[in-house]
Amino acid sequence: MAIVKNLSRTLSQLLQSPGCGCQTSIVPVRCIGVSPRQVNSDASFHSVSFSETDHPRVLITEYKLIVPCAFLFRKRFGKNNVILSDIRKPPDHVFYNGPFIYSDILDYKNLREIVVNNRITWLFHYSALLSAVGEANVPLARAVNITGLHNILDIAAEHSLRLFVPSTIGAFGPTSPRNPTPDLCIQRPRTIYGVSKVHAELMGEYYHYRYGLDFRCLRYPGIISADSQPGGGTTDYAVQIFHDAIKNGKFQCNLRSDTRLPMMYIDDCLKATLDVMEAPAASLSMRTYNISAMSFSPDELVQEVKKHIPELQVTYNVDAVRQAIADSWPMNFDDSNARRDWGWKHDFDLSELVTTMFNILGSDSRVAQIN
């Protein structure tokens, strides 16, 4: 027994002391998540290496917000290389247009299986409850926007994914400079949506510097698209006006007529997203950027819409919750860093945006009849 004890003591000393006689440094070991899903950062995974000459394998969470994004990416990277996902059954035009799978961002095991089985290399995380909807259900917004993000971050870091998480004008608050709002300034949002987006920005940056995660983030202004219905956001009036004008020639706005907010047409949004994801890492001086194209008020939008539908009737019924949110948000974004670092440049101004929306939505409607 004495021999066994001596051998055990000697082996223990050898393991604790380097053979070269130098001092050992303690290297922190990252574990992903909490028990029972702890995975060491140096574990061996059968993941696919991604080179600049290969097409990425893309996973997009929540199809409803980004159908145009999927169309663009499939055109760029190949139809079968871009997978849409959601917890809801997709409509036919989504289901039959390319790969679609069930994905619950609150189910870590489900997400991990999807990434591994489909050899994902890029992940676009769009699942979130928006501003007004989030205020109506804070516990659900906290679960989806924060807990879901934690699952995404852990899996992205574990499998060396390039991760994109959008942020928003809602990441700022009433104490932030509003005109213009720079990339770096005080952020004290007063909505759960805004708080969760600041959390996402900071966590993504932390994972980048701590674990080497290739995290990229853009603060979107209000996004205007003809391909999706308004989804409960504070800036959604700027989409609703087109549907209402075409349908019945009447529109009721829930913000004051002089409420100025930064906005962007969907094509510019998608262009910026793809540009920042394809930008060389060395060109990025930060991990979260403002992007902007235009800034307007409801009244300015109404005047532009009336150039197409002169008889449009507009009333204002201000929603106190949405107005308070809008009053705490930037009036104009300073996106000079994005323009300098990776060449961001928008294509659509207000006039082009309105004309394009009516060309898409109004081909068989009131606009066609008027013309």
Side-chain angles (χ1 to χ4, degrees):
M1 290 297 295
I3 294 174
V4 173
K5 290 181 178 179
N6 288 335
L7 285 173
S8 177
R9 187 182 306 111
T10 302
L11 179 60
S12 176
Q13 291 172 350
L14 286 172
L15 290 174
Q16 293 176 11
S17 303
C20 63
C22 57
Q23 295 294 320
T24 57
S25 60
I26 299 190
V27 178
V29 177
R30 173 173 58 86
C31 289
I32 301 297
V34 295
S35 180
R37 52 182 172 93
Q38 290 184 339
V39 182
N40 289 338
S41 61
D42 58 352
S44 176
F45 298 106
H46 297 287
S47 56
V48 177
S49 61
F50 174 68
S51 70
E52 293 300 324
T53 59
D54 297 328
H55 286 319
R57 292 279 294 170
V58 177
L59 174 65
I60 305 175
T61 64
E62 186 158 354
Y63 78 88
K64 288 186 71 176
L65 296 177
I66 38 69
V67 170
C69 180
F71 178 80
L72 174 65
F73 290 174
R74 283 171 175 166
K75 185 176 180 181
R76 184 68 163 264
F77 303 130
K79 181 176 180 179
N80 293 324
N81 285 325
V82 179
I83 302 172
L84 296 184
S85 67
D86 209 319
I87 60 173
R88 290 161 293 194
K89 183 171 67 174
D92 287 349
H93 75 276
V94 173
F95 186 77
Y96 293 108
N97 195 43
F100 180 94
I101 56 178
Y102 171 88
S103 173
D104 181 358
I105 62 167
L106 297 180
D107 185 340
Y108 180 90
K109 183 175 182 291
N110 170 244
L111 280 174
R112 195 174 181 201
E113 287 176 350
I114 290 170
V115 168
V116 171
N117 292 342
N118 294 280
R119 304 192 302 173
I120 300 300
T121 54
W122 285 14
L123 200 163
F124 292 79
H125 177 51
Y126 280 94
S127 295
L129 264 66
L130 302 181
S131 54
V133 175
E135 291 307 291
N137 194 338
V138 172
L140 180 60
R142 186 173 62 237
V144 173
N145 296 6
I146 296 179
T147 304
L149 169 77
H150 292 173
N151 288 338
I152 292 290
L153 285 169
D154 284 350
I155 289 169
E158 177 183 334
H159 294 283
S160 302
L161 308 185
R162 182 171 296 182
L163 174 63
F164 178 82
V165 179
S167 189
T168 167
I169 54 176
F172 298 95
T175 55
S176 305
R178 298 186 66 211
N179 192 20
T181 302
D183 284 306
L184 300 176
C185 65
I186 188 170
Q187 292 176 258
R188 288 294 184 272
R190 293 185 178 177
T191 66
I192 185 61
Y193 177 59
V195 168
S196 68
K197 286 303 182 180
V198 173
H199 178 75
E201 293 176 12
L202 295 177
M203 286 295 289
E205 187 171 324
Y206 172 76
Y207 268 60
H208 170 68
Y209 289 111
R210 183 68 174 83
Y211 304 127
L213 174 64
D214 191 354
F215 172 83
R216 305 181 184 207
C217 177
L218 296 178
R219 293 192 187 107
Y220 289 159
I223 303 301
I224 301 174
S225 170
D227 297 296
S228 59
Q229 293 291 323
T234 301
T235 60
D236 277 355
Y237 83 87
V239 177
Q240 189 68 54
I241 186 173
F242 295 99
H243 294 278
D244 290 355
I246 291 170
K247 183 177 180 180
N248 54 36
K250 298 179 180 180
F251 171 64
Q252 184 178 89
C253 184
N254 53 29
L255 295 180
R256 288 194 320 269
S257 62
D258 62 346
T259 305
R260 180 173 296 277
L261 293 168
M263 301 282 187
M264 179 178 289
Y265 183 58
I266 184 66
D267 284 15
D268 277 337
C269 173
L270 301 180
K271 173 187 172 184
T273 302
L274 189 57
D275 284 353
V276 76
M277 283 296 281
E278 292 186 324
S283 69
L284 305 179
S285 63
M286 56 188 64
R287 288 288 139 180
T288 299
Y289 289 90
N290 293 343
I291 54 169
S292 185
M294 66 193 86
S295 181
F296 58 76
S297 67
D299 181 64
E300 290 170 334
L301 178 58
V302 167
Q303 298 309 313
E304 196 65 38
V305 168
K306 282 186 174 181
K307 293 179 182 178
H308 298 261
I309 302 182
E311 73 276 21
L312 175 66
Q313 299 176 30
V314 179
T315 57
Y316 291 90
N317 183 19
V318 176
D319 180 294
V321 173
R322 281 181 168 84
Q323 188 63 55
I325 292 172
D327 288 342
S328 71
W329 283 358
M331 299 170 66
N332 187 32
F333 261 160
D334 175 2
D335 61 356
S336 55
N337 287 319
R339 294 176 185 271
R340 180 197 66 224
D341 287 359
W342 42 275
W344 159 238
K345 182 180 180 181
H346 69 277
D347 292 326
F348 289 81
D349 60 16
L350 178 57
S351 176
E352 291 169 319
L353 180 152
V354 171
T355 299
T356 302
M357 288 290 286
F358 277 126
N359 285 342
I360 297 172
L361 294 175
S363 57
D364 297 316
S365 63
R366 293 170 56 87
V367 176
Q369 295 171 9
I370 290 170
N371 291 337

